[in-house]
Amino acid sequence: MSIVRRGLLLAIFLPPLLLAGCGGSGGDAEVRLLNASTGYSALDLYFTTDTSNVPGTPQIDDVATGAVSSYTGIGPASYEEYFVSHGVSSSNALETTKETLSKNEHRTFIAYGDQGSFGMAEINEDQNAPNSGYAYVQVLNADTDAGAVDVYLTSSGISLNNVSPNFGDVAAGSPTGYTSIADGTYELRITGTGKKSDLRFSLPSLTLSDKEIITLIVTETPGGYLVNVMALPQQGSLTTYANPYARVRAVIGLSSATSVAAAVGSTTLLSGAPKTAVGTYQLVPVGTDSVTLTVDGTTVSVPDETLAAGQDYTFLVYGSSGSVRESWIEDNNIPPASGYSSVRLVNAMSASGDPISLSVDFEPVATDVALGNASSYDTSVVSTSTGTVTATDYSTSATLYSQTSATLDSGAVYTMFMFGSASSPIGELSKDR
């Protein structure tokens, strides 16, 4: 055989063998990364078989929050994986795991959590199809703020009172098993576990196709209480459903008034309220809507307000019946770490006007909070059942209010509302979550 002919044969037959040995597309595991994290705006994912050294180049790069990467082929082997905030060295990985990837399999790695609470879950995307006329559905709770949830898929408009959840008590961390559900169109609702009236998410129409295999992913919202949802079909494209609601409460801190009513659009926040009152959160459709405020029968002109999906708000009304003022305060009802409480101060002392401060067990929580404003949250307050909560006049250092034996539960969120005047102060410690 001539040297030329032997060289041609080598050129024909060697490349496939070399590709297989180098982890090419033929027989690779196909992996992708979904960034469901609100705390990390972009993520990288590294795979390495050399556990003695940190890897230098990510296989999946710069996946933004709310996005899923395309699939990347990784040769079948045992790996150490590094989940890294984009642009940061892999030596400062958010999490490392060990994984064995098999030939021709498909996996989606799902990163979730806020700053300091990073988590990772994974979905095997080679599930066999269900019987004709059915879909397979599983749920991943990737919201570390919401707590455990119940998930309902029902006919449109059906009351939840006599319905059991399709997925009950779903805690954050790992996907549920697949449940076979008849194909069709459903209303998707998510509630707090065991609390049918505690609606966290609602989607009027979700269609499950014949033999579809889909994961519903519960994700975080800015307010920390409501949830969003992502739908990820097996080996398919991601669809994100933002929460159609915000939560709004009205708080009244007027120096004089006998009857106050407040509403956003068609949603009543308070009706016939006294001059000082803390309302409960109401679900309000997101977007721009009219705000109605009536004080002692007189309509007060208030600008329209634009509400963001999943955000919690306090609509604060203060001043006097003859000079009513209002402000919108964004609430952060994300629970703090176990063993701690989150506490802030809202100044609604309309008959005073001085800035005020707050301490818990004589440690400062908020300082120099002006009328109509809220402090930032202090998430480092040690939970207690015998706390001393003290509000003082920032200008004079005079004690305005002191509550002894206050209960501050672990993982709970509180607002101290201060009303009235320096001579007649009123304090209300509200457990917001």
Side-chain angles (χ1 to χ4, degrees):
M1 181 182 294
S2 71
I3 294 175
V4 172
R5 185 178 178 188
R6 185 180 299 138
L8 288 172
L9 289 173
L10 287 172
I12 293 171
F13 290 111
L14 278 180
L17 297 174
L18 291 172
L19 283 173
C22 294
S25 58
D28 281 352
E30 298 293 331
V31 299
R32 60 180 176 172
L33 173 63
L34 168 58
N35 184 358
S37 165
T38 57
Y40 301 93
S41 59
L43 293 171
D44 299 337
L45 179 56
Y46 297 72
F47 294 83
T48 180
T49 57
D50 181 6
T51 58
S52 62
N53 293 293
V54 296
T57 303
Q59 280 78 7
I60 300 176
D61 177 69
D62 197 13
V63 182
T65 294
V68 62
S69 72
S70 57
Y71 283 103
T72 295
I74 305 291
S78 294
Y79 292 95
E80 191 162 32
E81 301 158 355
Y82 290 66
F83 294 83
V84 181
S85 183
H86 179 62
V88 176
S89 168
S90 61
S91 60
N92 295 314
L94 299 167
E95 184 169 330
T96 60
T97 62
K98 292 185 178 180
E99 199 81 44
T100 298
L101 299 178
S102 301
K103 180 178 180 180
N104 294 328
E105 73 168 316
H106 296 80
R107 292 196 198 185
T108 295
F109 296 96
I110 301 173
Y112 62 89
D114 207 338
Q115 287 278 347
S117 59
F118 183 85
M120 187 279 294
E122 62 183 270
I123 298 172
N124 186 322
E125 296 191 287
D126 296 297
Q127 171 70 36
N128 292 329
N131 293 331
S132 180
Y134 290 87
Y136 274 153
V137 182
Q138 69 174 354
V139 174
L140 169 64
N141 184 354
D143 186 348
T144 56
D145 300 332
V149 296
D150 292 341
V151 179
Y152 297 82
L153 289 161
T154 69
S155 300
S156 179
I158 295 295
S159 170
L160 297 182
N161 288 339
N162 297 313
V163 177
S164 297
N166 300 83
F167 303 89
D169 195 19
V170 183
S174 299
T176 66
Y178 283 103
T179 293
S180 180
I181 298 176
D183 60 16
T185 299
Y186 294 88
E187 182 175 2
L188 169 63
R189 282 169 286 185
I190 299 176
T191 70
T193 290
K195 300 177 181 178
K196 295 177 184 288
S197 62
D198 181 18
L199 187 64
R200 307 289 188 89
F201 178 87
S202 176
L203 181 67
S205 179
L206 177 71
T207 298
L208 301 177
S209 302
D210 181 37
K211 295 188 175 182
E212 182 176 29
I213 302 167
I214 192 168
T215 301
L216 301 178
I217 304 166
V218 180
T219 61
E220 299 169 346
T221 59
Y225 193 80
L226 300 177
V227 301
N228 295 325
V229 169
M230 294 175 171
L232 186 67
Q234 179 167 280
Q235 300 182 32
S237 300
L238 179 71
T239 301
T240 298
Y241 299 100
N243 202 299
Y245 297 107
R247 293 200 309 162
V248 182
R249 65 175 171 186
V251 173
I252 312 302
L254 295 168
S255 60
S256 61
T258 57
S259 180
V260 182
V264 178
S266 61
T267 305
T268 298
L269 303 179
L270 282 175
S271 180
K275 65 180 181 179
T276 59
V278 178
T280 57
Y281 284 109
Q282 306 295 323
L283 290 175
V284 180
V286 300
T288 302
D289 214 336
S290 60
V291 182
T292 305
L293 177 63
T294 304
V295 179
D296 292 340
T298 300
T299 299
V300 178
S301 178
V302 178
D304 294 349
E305 185 66 22
T306 301
L307 304 177
Q311 180 65 61
D312 288 355
Y313 297 91
T314 293
F315 174 51
L316 178 64
V317 179
Y318 62 104
S320 64
S321 59
S323 180
V324 178
R325 302 168 66 185
E326 36 66 40
S327 63
W328 285 86
I329 300 169
E330 292 188 356
D331 301 340
N332 182 346
N333 283 311
I334 296 174
S338 178
Y340 295 91
S341 303
S342 181
V343 183
R344 68 167 176 177
L345 171 66
V346 169
N347 184 351
M349 295 187 68
S350 296
S352 170
D354 284 354
I356 56 178
S357 301
L358 185 73
S359 66
V360 175
D361 288 335
F362 311 103
E363 294 292 331
V365 167
T367 303
D368 194 16
V369 179
L371 177 63
N373 288 269
S375 71
S376 58
Y377 289 85
D378 187 335
T379 60
S380 63
V381 177
V382 177
S383 55
T384 178
S385 59
T386 58
T388 299
V389 180
T390 306
T392 57
D393 187 307
Y394 177 75
S395 301
T396 66
S397 298
T399 297
L400 299 170
Y401 175 85
S402 184
Q403 178 179 344
T404 58
S405 299
T407 297
L408 300 173
D409 291 331
S410 173
V413 181
Y414 296 86
T415 297
M416 170 56 80
F417 292 100
M418 288 298 301
F419 306 107
S421 65
S423 59
S424 299
I426 301 169
E428 181 169 341
L429 183 62
S430 169
K431 185 177 182 179
D432 301 338
R433 179 166 185 185

